[in-house]
């Protein structure tokens, strides 16, 4: 084994000295954060009619109004009920309807049937949000540090649902022969892509990965902790995700017809679902049209390929003679090369054309199964159900997507989905051993 | 074989002399009918929010706004496009979305996915209805007799969907833990029921059944024609449908647990779906609560049993040592005893307590499979797909229900559903051989 | 209504005077019958290996050894246990394994899992048959008339399973890429078919249909009784079933691609199952090859079309501008024209080329749903479950097939299968109104 | 990070000097191995009748005769066809029937339908085996080193199927109400178990894991390679798997009713399948009876718990406040403590009572998802499909089971199954961080 990279090990062993902000400052900071996040959710729902907000197009997706109410229910259930003296529930039935997967909180409405619930309607949901917001503002004036931390968790939870709100309505709209437009398309200049991408090479060694606890300056989910050393080999990784142009070459080389490129379960899945391209692609003679939240339009070759499953990413990698990076390879590179891009405040409805860098506009499938870190322990109580209980049959995605609210992403962030999922803004980049 | 009933045979051979109304009168009569029917549909949708009108709770049901638009699409497609000079489609995509089962008109949106369509919304549907109504009014001023007949068919088609609108929203609401109320419950006095019901006896013989064509005074669907002789044996039939009180006795005698009472497929169906009572019944200790369009409330024992499948009706009949009447037995009795009740103009959201008579507030399952009458011929073209193509694996129901618009029912009317269907207002009465 | 056929009415009202055979003669007659039927079952199984007799290729089919044992279990359960003094069960577990659908006899092994049972093996089944046969011979020496009748029922039950034994192994063999041959093909001369078939015309009137009870010279199942008058219209019917040549014309005219020809449920079924021809047909360029129990070979155009569902029969009839006959039309014609063909003693593994006549080598789908006759009453006890409980979602087939054991068929015989079933030797003939 | 264990690192860096045997010796060694393995397969099938060898009780299982033929097909396809001059296929159809998952070799008979194939029967399979054995013996006399290696791969492949042969017939037999006995039960003395088990502790550090290539003394599959360093933390691990006694305590503490103990997908799976105990357990009042290949008998508390899924193992671990070991933790401990037990030559049909040690009679679920090792490359051609294509949604099991043929197991061996699989002899042991 060769010597590991000294620079990075320094990073791993540095003790961060940080000034813990006074509780008062923290409260007002979080109160601002609370207002920002809550109003972004409402802004994202604004283009959607009452009918739009009601439909559910598949079991994995949820109606917009459910997202709006479920994120509110989170604050009511985990913050207001235990900590706000004299708080009265907005409506007792909501606990049943808007609970998602917290088995220990009681029975819940079955996920595939969320689209059957017409009541409460969007107006009642708006009233629910306003009622809870008022109570939360009152509570934030006097909350202690633990409660403030809990609220921050609730805000990150809501940011996750902001992204799902967009991917879910995209799926629903794509089921309509009217191909509704969620938002007008912004103008984006065409990008001239270097072909092939540049390769970054990384020396093997022991690197720290995961999120350092001890700092309350940055939030993290329990599945990112504890930070721990990881042993990597020498490897190389592309400086950008795979593009639509590159993926079209895979399709034209009959990538979807060659079983030797695919994982066995991927092949079965692709055939059963008649996949012949990424989700939302439609053949138009020899060209492709794509449904986006800006409507149906021609495929842009300079965008990152998106809405592919892990199975498709793995088949492409085998076709290209390379492999997907592990989540730790991704993280180490992102720490070294991946200056966090300071994006605009709001989310985008579609990925921009590719530039180089680690944090592009698509989530990136990695070769890593979603598993607990060494020493992982779930948070106690119902919140502990949040991440750990899904640690099976899911693959980790790293990075962010166009629909990820700014401030939500982190270099240690672990997104995860089953290998067949395609409705997220999911792409991938390639790596190989050196 | 004994002599048949002379009186009825007279009926069968009488030539009706009727005055055919002048075309002008007929046009204005149908125009009034058109306005009445179209406005009743809107009135039925009025208590429902945009969200309520969007949901679909099972493949057999459709969203309210789909019913409103589909019935409009019928007039646009079968009347305006072929007969209204210069008519322009309201929206080309609607032909795809609101076609139901008319295969010959082109591809159609898959039925189980109607609840995924948020667009067009209720406002667009209202605009569609207004647009078509305006064009129809213009057309009616000058329509010839064939077109007028076609419009009448469209109105009866819309009346069928008025009933479905109610049964479908009832199913959707019942899926909600909030058990929404569609309308307030009217006051109904308790009825003292004779136990057991009276029996009407009918002599065997040859009776005419089916709808006489040749008269354009009364509309009929093709499946009611031609009128033809039918040979019946002596039989007796109850003067009223089975009541909730009687059906509770069946449940308490373990009717749902005794396979010898059930058709084989009924037993399988009941077990797979965990039936232990009619649809919308919920155990409440030793009593029953029922979901109605007036909300969740206690079971009334003096109402007809409702929301039972053919399988349950047949099991009950076997348990009671009797049988279901055939559709012709039902029709013959209804002709003899069944004075058409002159009900109020609007439909009701729930059956009233039982009175004697043939046309109560529940459809009645018969022992007859839905099949063509001797000499039946389907109407030509797409309209011919309307009834004939469903003549398999369905049983005939006769009578009417609370949700049947007045003026829509007839003594020859043949309703039909698969034997496992329970979401209609379906009950039954008993008969036996004499 | 025109006068009915006098000759047939005479038949209907004649009181048959028949000499009831002495009980002793009847016993020895039935004992001979018993030996014949039981040994035919064994003869039919002889070409099949232990492995062949074990497999089950779909839920509706059963393994050969199951048929051999189930028919034996019938005698053990319904005859020996109640009537043979001191009889001891061969094996207690068999009651569970070889019960088919007699819910009242106790729990039963789920039908779709019969192919999972390797034990008891064919040798044990042979021993079971021999054990029961010995006991039955003893019993027959002294059985009273009721028990003798019960035994005859068991023999007809076994004959039904002889036919299923062949259709079930055909289905299983067809699933094998080796296309095994059950028996060598006999030589059959080519038949020159008149095109189109001759039409027999029948005057409308009241005809007796169903099986006369009162005679114990001929066995009948309860579903054929009681005999009763039926009112028919004038009609015409082909003198032979539809041929392969005719059905090929339907296929070539895109009969499987035209929804307007099909019942709605038929269209859905055909598309889901990718039907494009009768079962066991395989395209071979522009020709067809067919799997038969004699192996895979070219289609013979002069054979009756076979292994079609009711849905295909109905679509063909609509395409041909005609209809299927009702079961009573069929029966009336068979009584008038249908001299029972005195066939060979054994069953055949494949239909012979078409000749004219009512009792050809394929069962014939009729337009009649399987329903109880007026005045029908099921036999009491477990045997009563035999026929009545299937009277839903099934269509009646009349006639016989090549696989029907001689002596089992009758002009009043009612076979029945769901409209989608294709694995029986099922064809059809056409009729129309006159 | 603390210093790693020097001793083990020595192992990792030692260069093994081994004498490569002469090709001639290797040929005769492999010829002996060939005869041993092939005859063990036949010995395992001997207690099974032709019928037993034909049935398939679920899609994941295969009939015994399929295992016997598929392993033979492997030698025919991958060894004889390419390397035995003038070899003629035994039967061309076999390539279709007995191909399992090698997509690149051509179409294959669908896995869930293997139980439908009665032909070829057991006698034909025996003839096939003999035919191939003769050809293989001839080939082995002159095979070069690569071909000899290929044959060894085929033998290990056959050994895997020997284990499956037993687990598959166990599943099939368990579906029978007769609960057949595969073999008589040997006498095993009761073991007094220390409660709780002893804990072995291991210091963290860098350990080599995986199989060293370069040596042809020991076979390995591609998924065990390359050997590579792995970074472990301090941990402790039980010296034996969890016992039936311990698992009964979990059941009695309502482990199957508490969602907070389960992975989300595990909870869904357990509920849908109505799990309330390991597979093959049946409640008998307050006790348990278990189906084993020795028949149905009482549960022995001193045996390792067996036939549990990964989901149950993970729920138990959470209940016990511990976790499952990773596959590398398991391997490191097995290298240090796990003296390979020199067992008898033949496999056993049921686990023996627990003793301490790493290689007990049940496979052990680990916390590791089945993924490629760093630097993994699949073998080229069809054989390369063997392992790599399953590297998704599967968990690694380590060790061996009673049904693993001696000589097949290795400390680096990676078995893998989906987390819901229960029909293997699968148990688990617990670990935790130190």
């Amino acid at each position: 084994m060769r010597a590991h990279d000294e620079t990075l090990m320094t990073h791993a062993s540095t003790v961060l000295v940080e000034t813990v902000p006074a509780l008062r400052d923290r409260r007002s900071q979080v109160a601002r954060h609370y207002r920002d996040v809550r109003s972004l959710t409402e802004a994202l729902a604004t283009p959607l009619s009452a009918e739009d907000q009601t439909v559910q197009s598949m079991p994995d997706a949820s109606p917009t109004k459910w997202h709006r109410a479920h994120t509110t229910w989170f604050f009511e259930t985990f913050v207001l009920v235990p900590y706000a003296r004299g708080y009265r529930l907005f409506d007792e039935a909501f606990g049943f309807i808007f609970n998602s997967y917290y088995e220990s909180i009681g029975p819940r409405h079955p996920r595939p049937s969320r689209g059957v619930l017409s009541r409460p309607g969007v107006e009642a949901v708006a009233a629910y949000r306003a009622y809870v917001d008022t109570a939360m503002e009152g509570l934030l004036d006097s909350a202690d540090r633990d409660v403030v931390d809990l609220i921050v968790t609730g805000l990150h939870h809501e940011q996750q649902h902001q992204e799902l709100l967009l991917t879910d309505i995209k799926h629903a709209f794509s089921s309509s022969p009217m191909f509704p437009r969620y938002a007008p398309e912004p103008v984006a200049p065409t990008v001239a892509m270097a072909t092939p991408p540049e390769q970054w090479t990384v020396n093997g060694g022991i690197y720290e990965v995961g999120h350092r606890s001890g700092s309350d300056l940055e939030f993290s989910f329990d599945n990112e902790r504890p930070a721990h050393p990881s042993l990597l080999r020498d490897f190389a990784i592309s400086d950008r995700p795979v593009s639509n142009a590159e993926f079209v070459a895979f399709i034209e080389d009959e990538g979807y017809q060659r079983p030797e490129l695919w994982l066995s379960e991927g092949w079965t899945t692709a055939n059963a679902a008649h996949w012949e391209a990424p989700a939302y692609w439609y053949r138009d003679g020899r060209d492709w049209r794509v449904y986006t939240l800006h409507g149906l339009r021609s495929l842009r070759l300079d965008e990152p390929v998106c809405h592919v499953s892990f199975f498709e990413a793995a088949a492409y990698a085998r076709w290209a003679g390379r492999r997907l990076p592990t989540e730790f390879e991704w993280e180490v590179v992102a720490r070294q090369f991946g200056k966090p891009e300071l994006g605009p405040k709001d989310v985008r409805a579609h990925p921009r054309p590719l530039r180089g860098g680690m944090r592009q506009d698509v989530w990136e499938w990695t070769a890593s199964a979603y598993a607990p870190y060494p020493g992982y322990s779930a948070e106690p109580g119902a919140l502990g159900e949040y991440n750990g209980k899904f640690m099976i049959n899911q693959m980790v995605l790293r990075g962010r997507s166009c629909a990820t609210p700014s401030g939500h992403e982190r270099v240690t962030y672990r997104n995860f989905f089953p290998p067949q999922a395609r409705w997220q803004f999911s792409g991938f980049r390639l790596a190989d051993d050196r």
Side-chain angles (χ1 to χ4, degrees), chain A:
Chain A
M1 168 141 312
R2 54 153 63 227
H4 43 257
D5 185 298
E6 291 298 328
T7 317
L8 280 152
M9 275 307 280
T10 306
H11 168 81
S13 55
T14 299
V15 176
L16 283 174
V17 181
E18 39 184 0
T19 313
V20 176
L23 177 55
R24 180 188 313 261
D25 293 350
R26 177 121 171 95
R27 280 184 194 143
S28 65
Q29 178 199 41
V30 169
R32 254 195 327 276
H33 193 195
Y34 184 90
R35 282 189 297 272
D36 287 349
V37 169
R38 298 284 288 173
S39 63
L40 177 56
T41 301
E42 295 301 274
L44 290 173
T46 298
L48 301 172
S49 70
E51 297 92 329
D52 294 337
Q53 296 195 36
T54 300
V55 298
Q56 176 185 35
S57 53
M58 64 163 176
D60 287 335
S62 297
T64 302
K65 71 184 171 77
W66 190 92
H67 287 300
R68 291 171 64 205
H70 165 70
T71 49
T72 305
W73 168 88
F74 185 103
F75 289 114
E76 182 174 69
T77 305
F78 296 118
V79 179
L80 293 174
V81 167
Y83 302 111
R85 183 173 307 200
Y87 178 77
R88 298 189 52 184
L89 289 177
F90 180 75
D91 188 315
E92 292 216 349
F94 285 21
F96 180 72
I97 297 175
F98 296 122
N99 181 357
S100 57
Y101 38 73
Y102 304 93
E103 298 271 1
S104 42
I105 296 297
R108 56 200 165 99
H109 191 73
R111 179 169 192 153
S113 302
R114 286 175 189 162
V116 169
L117 298 178
S118 60
R119 313 276 178 101
V122 293
E123 286 185 27
V125 166
Y128 182 36
R129 289 184 67 91
Y131 178 86
V132 164
D133 284 349
T134 303
M136 286 292 293
E137 274 169 41
L139 180 74
L140 257 168
D141 285 346
S142 59
D144 67 21
R145 191 167 294 273
D146 283 353
V147 174
V148 170
D149 285 350
L150 202 51
I151 293 168
V152 171
T153 298
L155 292 174
H156 281 270
H157 171 257
E158 181 148 348
Q159 287 180 310
Q160 293 182 307
H161 281 276
Q162 288 168 349
E163 178 151 6
L164 292 171
L165 185 157
L166 284 176
T167 55
D168 291 357
I169 199 68
K170 181 172 183 177
H171 190 272
F173 276 179
S174 79
S175 309
S176 168
M178 309 192 78
F179 287 120
R181 177 176 299 197
Y182 170 81
E185 177 137 31
V187 178
T190 302
V191 169
M193 276 180 300
T195 303
E198 301 281 325
Q199 299 301 314
W200 289 321
T201 59
V202 179
N203 290 337
I206 294 179
Y207 293 83
E208 183 178 90
V209 293
H211 195 275
R212 290 230 157 196
S213 53
S215 152
D216 63 1
L217 284 177
E218 194 186 32
F219 171 84
S220 65
F221 284 115
D222 60 2
N223 63 7
E224 301 166 57
R225 300 190 300 259
H228 62 282
S230 174
L231 180 57
L232 304 186
R233 292 158 50 110
D234 298 354
F235 68 97
I237 191 168
S238 295
D239 74 334
R240 61 160 175 78
V242 168
S243 69
N244 279 339
E246 289 160 342
F247 203 82
V248 164
F250 169 74
I251 296 173
E252 292 180 350
D253 197 30
E254 309 207 316
Y256 280 88
Q257 284 79 48
R258 293 162 55 184
E260 71 274 14
L261 299 176
W262 291 71
L263 288 162
S264 179
E265 190 173 328
W267 182 246
T268 308
T269 301
N271 278 279
H274 306 291
W275 289 349
E276 53 168 26
Y280 306 135
W281 288 34
Y282 303 87
R283 270 193 198 280
D284 182 21
R286 296 178 53 184
D287 296 325
W288 292 97
R289 291 181 72 72
V290 189
Y291 175 68
T292 75
L293 282 170
H294 308 309
L296 192 67
R297 63 151 168 79
S298 296
L299 184 73
R300 281 192 67 143
L301 294 173
D302 58 357
E303 288 175 357
V305 68
C306 190
H307 296 300
V308 292
S309 66
F310 175 83
F311 291 133
E312 288 156 300
Y316 180 96
R318 182 153 182 165
W319 172 77
R322 305 186 67 190
R323 62 172 174 83
L324 301 179
T326 66
E327 63 168 321
F328 296 148
E329 288 171 342
W330 193 98
E331 181 175 329
V332 162
V333 173
R335 281 196 158 132
Q336 203 164 9
F337 294 95
K339 284 247 174 47
E341 183 186 340
L342 294 174
K345 193 167 179 181
D346 287 353
V347 303
R348 294 169 184 279
H350 194 72
R352 287 164 294 180
L354 274 168
R355 296 135 297 143
M358 290 306 287
R359 304 195 195 180
Q360 298 286 302
D361 279 0
V362 290
W363 286 102
E364 301 180 20
W365 288 108
T366 71
S368 301
Y370 180 48
Y373 282 175
Y376 167 77
S377 64
E379 313 209 11
L383 281 180
E385 294 189 38
Y386 192 68
N387 280 307
K389 71 190 299 183
F390 297 111
M391 288 176 174
I392 191 72
N393 291 356
Q394 316 246 8
M395 299 304 284
V396 171
L397 300 101
R398 289 300 193 105
R400 60 177 291 282
S401 88
C402 59
T404 310
S406 59
H408 182 60
E409 58 172 308
R410 277 177 304 285
V411 80
T412 58
Y413 196 102
R414 306 175 81 198
N415 200 354
F416 54 91
F417 279 94
Q420 72 274 15
R422 308 211 300 175
W423 92 109
Q424 296 301 301
F425 290 102
S426 51
F428 62 98
R429 79 176 65 210
L430 297 182
D432 35 33
D433 298 322
R434 278 297 145 104

